[in-house]
Each structure stands twice: as structure tokens, then as C-alpha cells.
Amino acid sequence: MSDTATSGAGDAGGTGSRNAGDAHGVQASARGWLTLQLAALGFVGLCGALKAGGSGSTAPRGVEAVAGVLVLVALFVAILAVYLVGRTAWPHSATPDDPVRAARRLRTGLVLTFITVLLTALAATSAWWPAPETPPAAGQGGAVEVTTSTGRWCGELTRGSGALALEVRGRTVEILVTDVLAVTPVADCANS
């Protein structure tokens, strides 16, 4: 028998059997990456589900809309990424894929996975939008009792200039911070 008949594919140098080995190596790598890929995407989904169980979002409506679009784009990119890596891990035909094409498909799928995680993280930032600061309305839990070395004052904190300002029975009392011994929140000042 000649060398070309025993080289595996009838090509010079025996690259046919080497390509088959390379293709199987890419397949094995893709199977490992597919497991990690699905775990990462599952973790992203779990984080989203846990955060969604909390209180309502304080983000402006436009930010929520952008986040929704980002999540949908991330879902589409994730489906494409899983398909590419899965097709590399389990090819459609019994003959091995070209190792260069399979490696390129695997690389593209992994890059798309990282893009998916990035898009999902960016969309999730809207859930942590800071809540607007709203001071309590008069008589609605903003009362404090201030204890000083000369006595006690009960009222609502107001803006002062260099001192602790307290609204007590319609008038503003300013107390030097150095005189304050304790500040205690109270439900109301009826008992003081």
C-alpha cells in the first residue's frame, strides 16, 4: 500500500486525520465552555429574579424602558451565543467540522456570551436607581427629642445655620451641637 492510502484522507502529509483530531478537540472544548456558558447565563437570570422580588423600581420611566430593551437584546444575543457554542459542541453532521470554522464559531459564541452578561448587568443597574429624597411632611414622623445639659426639646428638625435647628410649637430653636447630649426619634411630641 502507498503512503497516500494509509494517511487517512488520501492527502499529502496526512492532515486529514490531524484535522479530525483538531475538530474533536474543539468539540470537547466547546462542551466545557457550554457548561460554563449556561451556568453564567443561569446566574444572571437568578440575580434578576431575586432583585425583581424586591420593591418597585425608583428609576425614571425612560431608564426602565432602556433597561427593558437591553434585556431583550441580551436575550437574543444569549440565544445566538448558546446556539453557536452548542453547534460547535454537537455538530449537525457525522463528519467533523473544519477545525478553523468550528474554533471561530466557538470564539464568536463566547464573545457573545460576555456581551450578554455585560448587557444584562447594564440593564440591572436600573434596579438600583437611587430613591428620591423626600423629607417627611410636618407631623408625619419627623419629630425628635433633643437632650441637652440644660433640658429637653421636642420638635421637628429644620435647616439651621451652624447649629441644630428644631421647630418647637411653631418657633425655631437653635441648639449648639456641643450642647447636645442625645437625639432620639419619637412618634410625636405630645408627651414632651
Side-chain angles (χ1 to χ4, degrees):
M1 247 188 179
S2 71
D3 278 345
T4 56
T6 59
S7 66
D11 56 36
T15 56
S17 62
R18 190 178 72 223
N19 283 347
D22 290 347
H24 291 298
V26 172
Q27 281 180 346
S29 178
R31 288 178 182 158
W33 276 109
L34 186 64
T35 303
L36 291 173
Q37 180 187 42
L38 293 176
L41 295 176
F43 179 72
V44 167
L46 177 66
C47 290
L50 291 177
K51 183 58 185 165
S55 62
S57 175
T58 58
R61 191 138 178 91
V63 172
E64 288 180 345
V66 169
V69 169
L70 285 174
V71 166
L72 290 176
V73 169
L75 176 64
F76 174 74
V77 173
I79 290 169
L80 182 60
V82 169
Y83 171 76
L84 289 173
V85 174
R87 183 162 180 248
T88 304
W90 289 279
H92 295 205
S93 65
T95 59
D97 284 346
D98 175 37
V100 174
R101 288 183 62 206
R104 187 177 325 124
R105 204 171 32 243
L106 175 61
R107 215 176 2 262
T108 302
L110 293 178
V111 167
L112 290 176
T113 300
F114 290 116
I115 290 172
T116 297
V117 171
L118 180 70
L119 288 172
T120 306
L122 189 60
T125 59
S126 70
W128 284 276
W129 196 268
E133 290 188 30
T134 54
Q140 298 220 347
V144 294
E145 183 178 85
V146 179
T147 306
T148 66
S149 55
T150 59
R152 277 192 240 180
W153 299 90
C154 188
E156 293 184 19
L157 291 173
T158 61
R159 295 194 187 267
S161 56
L164 186 67
L166 205 57
E167 178 92 17
V168 179
R169 295 186 201 106
R171 67 184 183 108
T172 302
V173 176
E174 288 192 353
I175 305 166
L176 293 174
V177 176
T178 56
D179 293 342
V180 175
L181 298 175
V183 178
T184 310
V186 294
D188 59 35
C189 291
N191 298 334
S192 297

Coordinates of all heavy atoms in Angstrom, one line a residue, residues 143-147 152-155 168-169 184-192:
A143 N -40.4 63.9 64.0 CA -40.2 64.5 65.3 C -39.0 63.8 66.0 O -38.8 62.6 65.8 CB -41.4 64.3 66.2
V144 N -38.2 64.6 66.7 CA -37.1 64.1 67.5 C -37.1 64.8 68.9 O -37.6 65.9 69.0 CB -35.7 64.4 66.8 CG1 -35.6 63.6 65.5 CG2 -35.5 65.9 66.6
E145 N -36.5 64.1 69.8 CA -36.3 64.7 71.1 C -34.8 64.9 71.3 O -34.0 64.0 71.2 CB -36.8 63.7 72.2 CG -36.7 64.3 73.6 CD -37.3 63.3 74.6 OE1 -36.6 62.5 75.1 OE2 -38.5 63.5 75.0
V146 N -34.5 66.2 71.6 CA -33.1 66.6 71.8 C -32.8 66.8 73.2 O -33.5 67.6 73.9 CB -32.7 67.8 70.9 CG1 -31.3 68.2 71.2 CG2 -33.0 67.6 69.5
T147 N -31.9 66.1 73.8 CA -31.5 66.2 75.2 C -30.2 67.0 75.3 O -29.2 66.7 74.6 CB -31.3 64.9 75.9 OG1 -32.5 64.1 75.7 CG2 -31.1 65.0 77.4
R152 N -34.7 69.3 77.8 CA -35.1 68.6 76.6 C -35.9 69.4 75.7 O -36.8 70.2 76.2 CB -35.9 67.3 77.1 CG -35.0 66.2 77.5 CD -35.9 65.0 77.6 NE -35.8 64.5 78.9 CZ -36.4 63.5 79.4 NH1 -37.2 62.8 78.7 NH2 -36.2 63.1 80.6
W153 N -35.8 69.2 74.4 CA -36.6 69.9 73.4 C -37.2 68.8 72.5 O -36.5 67.9 72.2 CB -35.8 70.9 72.6 CG -35.1 71.9 73.4 CD1 -33.9 71.9 73.9 CD2 -35.6 73.2 73.7 NE1 -33.6 73.1 74.6 CE2 -34.7 73.9 74.4 CE3 -36.9 73.9 73.4 CZ2 -34.9 75.2 74.9 CZ3 -37.1 75.1 73.9 CH2 -36.1 75.8 74.6
C154 N -38.4 69.0 72.1 CA -39.1 68.1 71.2 C -39.7 68.9 70.1 O -40.3 69.9 70.3 CB -40.2 67.3 71.9 SG -40.8 65.9 70.9
G155 N -39.4 68.4 68.8 CA -39.9 69.1 67.7 C -39.4 68.4 66.4 O -38.9 67.3 66.4
V168 N -40.2 73.9 67.3 CA -40.9 73.5 68.5 C -42.1 74.5 68.7 O -41.9 75.7 68.9 CB -40.0 73.7 69.8 CG1 -40.7 73.3 71.1 CG2 -38.7 72.8 69.6
R169 N -43.3 73.9 68.6 CA -44.6 74.7 68.8 C -44.6 76.0 68.0 O -44.9 77.0 68.5 CB -44.8 75.0 70.3 CG -45.0 73.7 71.1 CD -45.4 74.1 72.5 NE -45.1 73.0 73.4 CZ -44.1 72.9 74.2 NH1 -43.2 73.9 74.4 NH2 -43.9 71.8 75.0
T184 N -33.1 61.6 69.8 CA -33.9 60.4 69.8 C -35.1 60.7 68.9 O -35.9 61.6 69.2 CB -34.3 60.0 71.2 OG1 -33.2 60.0 72.0 CG2 -35.0 58.6 71.1
P185 N -35.3 59.8 67.9 CA -36.6 60.0 67.1 C -37.8 59.5 67.9 O -37.7 58.6 68.7 CB -36.4 59.0 65.9 CG -35.1 58.3 66.1 CD -34.5 58.8 67.3
V186 N -38.9 60.3 67.8 CA -40.1 60.0 68.6 C -41.3 60.0 67.6 O -41.2 60.7 66.5 CB -40.3 61.0 69.8 CG1 -39.3 60.8 70.8 CG2 -40.4 62.4 69.3
A187 N -42.4 59.4 68.0 CA -43.6 59.4 67.1 C -44.2 60.8 67.1 O -44.6 61.2 66.0 CB -44.6 58.4 67.6
D188 N -44.3 61.4 68.2 CA -44.8 62.8 68.2 C -44.4 63.5 69.5 O -43.8 62.8 70.4 CB -46.3 62.8 68.1 CG -47.0 62.1 69.2 OD1 -46.5 62.0 70.4 OD2 -48.1 61.4 69.0
C189 N -44.6 64.7 69.6 CA -44.1 65.5 70.8 C -45.2 65.8 71.8 O -45.1 66.6 72.6 CB -43.5 66.8 70.3 SG -42.0 66.6 69.4
A190 N -46.3 65.0 71.7 CA -47.5 65.3 72.6 C -47.1 65.0 74.1 O -47.6 65.6 75.0 CB -48.6 64.4 72.2
N191 N -46.2 64.0 74.4 CA -45.8 63.7 75.7 C -44.7 64.5 76.3 O -44.3 64.3 77.4 CB -45.5 62.2 75.8 CG -46.7 61.3 75.4 OD1 -47.8 61.7 75.5 ND2 -46.4 60.1 74.9
S192 N -44.1 65.3 75.5 CA -42.9 66.0 75.9 C -43.2 67.4 76.4 O -44.0 68.1 76.0 CB -41.9 66.1 74.8 OG -41.4 64.8 74.5

